[in-house]
Amino acid sequence: MINRRSVLRSSMLAASAAPLVFNTHIARAAPVLQPTVDATTGLPLLKLPAGFSYSSMSWSGDPMSDGNAVPDRHDGMAVVPGALPNEVVLLRNHERYGGTPIAGDKVPVYDEFSMPLSVARRLGSSLNMAGGVTGVVLRDDEYAETVPLIGGTMINCAGGVTPWGTWLTCEETLLRGSNIDLAEGGSAKDHGYVFEVPPPHMGPASAVPIKDMGFFRHEAAAIDPNTGYGYLTEDNGPHSGFYRFIPHNLEGKLGSLDEGGALSMLKVKGMDNRNLTADIEGSAYDVEWIAIEDPDADPEILNSYGNGLENVGGQGKSGPFLQGEAQGAARFSRGEGIWEYDGRIYWIDTAGGPAGAGSVWLYDPTVERLVCIFASASEVEADAIDNIAIRPTDGMIILCEDGGGVQGPDGEFLIGARLLVSKQPGHDVIAFAENNTDLRNGVPGRSAIPANDYRTGEWAGATFSADGETLYANLQNPGITVAIRGPWASL
């Protein structure tokens, strides 16, 4: 979701003169960002520091391996090994609820429901299950093809990679589709789940939801390779929980999570219903876990829209959150991206911190300790940070902004959405990439891309190659995947 904000020009200029930091006593100069030409199109889509380069691939509307068009709204993503030693696959979400569904003869589809035209006309809106996952295949670091991997899901926002090389795609929605009863016929399924999606060479996805991971507005997931436990974020306004999933089958292989498990919700020890939405940087808590007995429980409200759409749209607190709240669990603003690194879980509250501009939490399962390691002081410092990735070779943190860039007092454009970087230790944060995708003149050879200025569009899906040399990321609108390379040690 893109939230546009305006700030005074003087505030922007003052902030640009100082580095963005986790701890104010640590400072380093931010690199100068310059328009940099895309090796694929020749367009200056990004601003990057000197020495960095990039190439774009798998744009919205490009042909996939089956001849259908690449879906739009690229979001969460992870890189996994491919079938060959020289091959990798980017498993990529598409945060969609409308448009042409991802489908085909060999594509697993969870829900084929599409609202009949007569019902859509009565309601003034339509509904189909157009979300899903595609696989972007690279061989010898060059783009090869895009493959559809699962369809029939909704609003696949983020997710998480598993230690065995698959992707957990998360639906950021709450829909009791099984309650739809249309006179025109047609049946739907429930949406608000997590699905496991393998790369092409591991076989097709089961297209079966892992219901024990909960029925709520999922954002992202991470698996601790030391224990096999999963951790899940919820993006549901000020009533978002942080969850742990212990699988029944801890073998750690494709399909093992489909066997279900036990869900629980984080609680601060000795503090019932602790509100952590506005915590300051440095806040630290001892925590424990509260069992969620019914992960698939209904939310607080199920809205009805008439015409056979009764008790369908989820609203208010989720069923799992209500159960955790009743036992004193903690709450956050809007849980977003999550990443496991060195046995610790890093995750984002995109509206957290005193300024409501985003915070980063670190959970250490070895000592059951939760620490806020960063809270943005302003929207100029870090604006609605969303997805997170960590460089495997040195622990460098990448943060994706979803704040709509920076605008002046009259709404004029000042700064595009950015990628932020922090080096460990020290947690100093600087901008190292800026969205510069001004396509008001269109894109030659890509008629599916509407001519528009996309510089305020969010970053998503940041993920490093195994050697840490390439950062893959998505510009959600108009839907572009980029591969960024350069002297990371210089940042």
Side-chain angles (χ1 to χ4, degrees), residues 164 213 223 227-230 245-250 256-257 259-262:
W164 50 94
M213 281 189 165
I223 302 291
T227 61
Y229 295 1
F245 174 75
I246 300 179
H248 293 321
N249 183 344
L250 288 169
S256 60
L257 300 179
E259 298 180 31

Side-chain angles (χ1 to χ4, degrees), residues 72-104:
D72 59 356
R73 296 188 61 79
H74 303 7
D75 208 288
M77 187 168 67
V79 58
V80 299
L84 304 170
N86 68 334
E87 182 178 279
V88 297
V89 182
L90 303 175
L91 300 173
R92 183 183 63 191
N93 277 0
H94 296 272
E95 191 184 18
R96 309 167 79 229
Y97 60 89
T100 302
I102 301 171

Side-chain angles (χ1 to χ4, degrees), residues 213-464:
M213 281 189 165
F215 179 58
F216 56 83
R217 297 183 191 277
H218 284 276
E219 182 67 34
I223 302 291
D224 181 351
N226 298 314
T227 61
Y229 295 1
Y231 295 91
L232 305 152
T233 56
E234 180 178 19
D235 186 359
N236 192 35
H239 303 294
S240 300
F242 183 61
Y243 300 89
R244 183 182 70 184
F245 174 75
I246 300 179
H248 293 321
N249 183 344
L250 288 169
E251 290 183 49
K253 62 181 183 180
L254 176 62
S256 60
L257 300 179
D258 287 344
E259 298 180 31
L263 187 70
S264 55
M265 185 172 165
L266 182 138
K267 178 185 185 298
V268 175
K269 279 188 176 180
M271 299 181 186
D272 283 350
N273 303 114
R274 178 69 177 183
N275 181 352
L276 301 177
T277 59
D279 266 47
I280 63 172
E281 186 176 311
S283 299
Y285 303 96
D286 293 321
V287 299
E288 57 187 335
W289 296 92
I290 301 299
I292 304 301
E293 298 298 335
D294 185 2
D296 197 32
D298 282 344
E300 191 173 21
I301 300 168
L302 283 173
N303 289 311
S304 298
Y305 309 100
N307 300 293
L309 300 172
E310 309 297 333
N311 301 315
V312 170
Q315 186 179 338
K317 301 171 184 177
S318 69
F321 184 93
L322 287 167
Q323 295 169 67
E325 182 183 49
Q327 300 175 77
R331 69 181 177 97
F332 301 86
S333 290
R334 291 179 53 202
E336 290 274 358
I338 190 170
W339 203 271
E340 182 275 332
Y341 177 75
D342 197 25
R344 296 173 176 85
I345 308 298
Y346 296 74
W347 60 281
I348 304 296
D349 186 336
T350 197
S359 54
V360 181
W361 290 93
L362 170 60
Y363 166 67
D364 187 341
T366 64
V367 293
E368 292 294 353
R369 187 78 168 162
L370 182 72
V371 181
C372 180
I373 61 172
F374 171 63
S376 175
S378 71
E379 294 162 350
V380 175
E381 182 179 46
D383 191 6
I385 50 178
D386 191 324
N387 287 178
I388 182 174
I390 299 181
R391 192 172 184 232
T393 53
D394 60 7
M396 176 187 288
I397 297 174
I398 301 296
L399 303 171
C400 298
E401 282 193 326
D402 181 17
V406 176
Q407 298 171 337
D410 298 320
E412 69 271 28
F413 173 86
L414 297 177
I415 301 176
R418 301 165 297 180
L419 285 176
L420 308 174
V421 61
S422 163
K423 283 189 173 182
Q424 293 189 6
H427 309 299
D428 46 333
V429 175
I430 58 173
F432 87 95
E434 183 182 332
N435 185 348
N436 194 49
T437 311
D438 186 350
L439 302 178
R440 283 175 284 189
N441 293 324
V443 183
R446 286 187 164 90
S447 59
I449 304 297
N452 207 341
D453 186 349
Y454 297 97
R455 290 176 293 175
T456 59
E458 72 173 272
W459 286 92
T463 182
F464 275 101

Side-chain angles (χ1 to χ4, degrees), residues 64 66 68 100-109 112 129 131 148 150-152:
M64 292 194 289
D66 64 354
N68 291 315
T100 302
I102 301 171
D105 291 342
K106 297 181 180 180
V107 181
V109 175
E112 297 181 350
M129 312 314 173
I150 190 173

